[in-house]
Amino acid sequence: MTSVVRLYVVAVATVVLFLGWAFAAARPFGDSSPDPRMEALAAREQHLRAESMRIQRLVDRRWAAYGRRMAERSRAPQPVVRLTQLPPVTATRSS
Amino acid sequence: MIRRAFRAMGTDVELLLDAPRGDAALVAAEAEFHRLEKLLSRFRPDSELSRLNADGSIDAGPDLVRVVRLALEAREATNGRFDPTVHDALVAAGYDRTFDEIEAHGEVARRIPGGGRVAIDGNRIELQPGVRIDLGGIAKGDAVDRAADVLAPAGPCLVNAGGDLAVRGGSWPVAVEHLTVLLESGAIATSGTDRRRWTRNGREQHHLIDPRTGEPARSPFLRVSAVGSTAVEAEVLAKTVFLGDEAAARRHPCVLVRADGSVELTGGLW
């Protein structure tokens, strides 16, 4: 056998090996049903996401009502604030 | 412009009044601060708040009822992120005396989450057994709002109690971090952990308790400055955003300083 033929045999054998590996990795004869634990996790995630959105909407509504009550109680109009280049007369800081 | 500065509620208070003859109003506004401190401080054993915490119930005056009601409304509005019933958690973390008197090092006691029951019926306030309340920040915000109400008839004014400030009339440039904002109406408050810190069991503690854990909060922020219609609202908002409610920061003008020092403006502030 010439070295060229040997080279071809090795190359074909390598290709066949990798094709077989890929076929086996695809698990065509394995259980195709999804993992129940993954399904449960996905359902739990979806439930938590929906719950978190519901709570966020609730908090948003409460904040809005709270802001209205504060403004009514103090008879103060909504705050008016913007950036300026004027020199400050005082400062806010953590206390 | 006339100015008066003094100490009350454990911090520096500054009153600015744009009126030539407003000295009497400044004196009255300072008196209002001291009057409220006498009623609402947890560090004065004879205050109404201390009597409520000691006895579990009290027939309170209108100021304590008002501030407790404000605190409970804030607890509801923030879904418990703001909670006056963290008193024992603050004490456990080592904040058991005025900040000037806290020992730098010591032992930490057990953690106590918030959520305790507080009932108000007329002027009667009742606490769930074992629950005590702290009105620190919200009482200061209320005092700022009340002092501004006292000053306002005399002219445009600004009241600043250790960074929690409110204005009535006029336009007031206020430094926030490296920026200056022009406040024409409303209030600004800042919450952060860069000033009131101490150590217990070798771990750094601070005064911003997360009511859900009963421990000093772990925040993505160093400081949060928030704008509200009143100093009480701004104080509640700043604390709530500091405890992680970034959605609230999107709806209100805020200046956020993140842990890496970067500064972000939100709520249409630019």
Side-chain angles (χ1 to χ4, degrees), chain B residues 135-167:
Chain B
L135 299 172
I138 202 163
K140 188 160 51 124
D142 179 71
V144 167
D145 289 331
R146 298 280 78 79
D149 287 343
V150 169
L151 280 179
C157 61
L158 179 150
V159 178
N160 185 354
D164 292 4
L165 62 91
V167 303

Side-chain angles (χ1 to χ4, degrees), chain A residues 60 73 82 90-92 94-95, chain B residues 140 163 182 190 194-195 251:
Chain A
D60 287 352
R73 188 169 296 153
R82 62 188 160 87
T90 190
T92 179
S94 51
S95 54
Chain B
K140 188 160 51 124
L182 194 66
T190 299
D194 50 335
R195 296 183 79 88
R251 296 189 303 270

Side-chain angles (χ1 to χ4, degrees), chain A residues 55-56 59-60 62-63 66 70 73-74 77-84 86-95, chain B residues 14 70 73 76 79 140 160 162-163 173-175 180-182 184-185 190 192 194-196 207 228 230 247 251 270:
Chain A
I55 289 172
Q56 190 58 56
V59 171
D60 287 352
R62 285 179 178 174
W63 256 119
Y66 178 65
M70 284 286 107
R73 188 169 296 153
S74 71
Q78 287 299 302
V80 179
V81 66
R82 62 188 160 87
L83 293 178
T84 182
L86 292 170
V89 295
T90 190
T92 179
R93 58 169 175 77
S94 51
S95 54
Chain B
E14 180 184 34
L70 286 169
E73 285 176 1
E76 189 195 349
N79 223 28
K140 188 160 51 124
N160 185 354
V174 176
T180 305
V181 297
L182 194 66
E184 295 177 351
S185 166
T190 299
D194 50 335
R195 296 183 79 88
R196 298 188 188 223
H207 70 299
T230 66
R251 296 189 303 270
W270 59 75

Side-chain angles (χ1 to χ4, degrees), chain B residues 87-99:
Chain B
H87 174 284
D88 286 11
L90 270 170
V91 171
Y95 198 175
D96 55 354
R97 60 203 75 186
T98 66
F99 185 71

Side-chain angles (χ1 to χ4, degrees), chain B residues 1-256:
Chain B
M1 171 113 59
I2 51 177
R3 177 177 182 273
R4 187 177 185 90
F6 55 94
R7 269 193 82 76
M9 298 186 165
T11 194
D12 297 316
V13 182
E14 180 184 34
L15 311 175
L16 299 175
L17 179 61
D18 194 4
R21 284 180 295 277
D23 291 317
L26 291 177
V27 170
E30 178 178 347
E32 180 69 355
F33 253 98
H34 295 310
R35 186 183 73 81
L36 289 171
E37 181 178 17
K38 218 170 165 181
L39 294 170
L40 304 174
S41 171
R42 72 179 167 102
F43 302 116
R44 288 173 176 246
D46 58 340
S47 74
E48 272 196 351
L49 177 62
S50 294
R51 279 168 29 221
L52 168 63
N53 281 335
D55 300 342
S57 64
I58 193 171
D59 289 316
D63 296 293
L64 183 61
V65 171
R66 180 185 68 249
V67 180
V68 171
R69 208 181 286 281
L70 286 169
L72 296 180
E73 285 176 1
R75 176 162 78 173
E76 189 195 349
T78 62
N79 223 28
R81 275 200 168 94
F82 183 96
D83 191 335
T85 65
V86 295
H87 174 284
D88 286 11
L90 270 170
V91 171
Y95 198 175
D96 55 354
R97 60 203 75 186
T98 66
F99 185 71
D100 296 337
E101 297 167 344
I102 288 183
E103 290 168 19
H105 303 277
E107 297 295 307
V108 72
R110 69 193 170 89
R111 301 302 185 192
I112 304 144
R117 203 172 60 249
V118 182
I120 303 178
D121 183 9
N123 69 334
R124 182 93 183 146
I125 306 174
E126 287 192 358
L127 307 179
Q128 178 186 344
V131 167
R132 280 171 282 274
I133 58 179
D134 172 58
L135 299 172
I138 202 163
K140 188 160 51 124
D142 179 71
V144 167
D145 289 331
R146 298 280 78 79
D149 287 343
V150 169
L151 280 179
C157 61
L158 179 150
V159 178
N160 185 354
D164 292 4
L165 62 91
V167 303
R168 300 280 190 276
S171 297
W172 301 89
V174 176
V176 186
E177 303 300 329
H178 61 285
L179 307 166
T180 305
V181 297
L182 194 66
L183 189 63
E184 295 177 351
S185 166
I188 303 181
T190 299
S191 274
T193 54
D194 50 335
R195 296 183 79 88
R196 298 188 188 223
R197 305 184 75 94
W198 61 94
T199 304
R200 290 289 178 275
N201 291 5
R203 280 181 61 191
E204 209 155 49
Q205 309 284 320
H206 59 76
H207 70 299
L208 296 178
I209 299 290
D210 188 333
R212 295 163 297 184
T213 63
E215 294 187 28
R218 292 179 186 168
S219 172
F221 303 112
L222 288 178
R223 281 182 302 279
V224 172
S225 298
V227 177
S229 58
T230 66
V232 164
E233 187 190 352
E235 155 75 17
V236 170
L237 186 57
K239 198 165 278 178
T240 303
V241 174
F242 185 86
L243 292 184
D245 187 358
E246 293 204 35
R250 308 289 159 221
R251 296 189 303 270
H252 300 84
C254 292
V255 179
L256 314 176

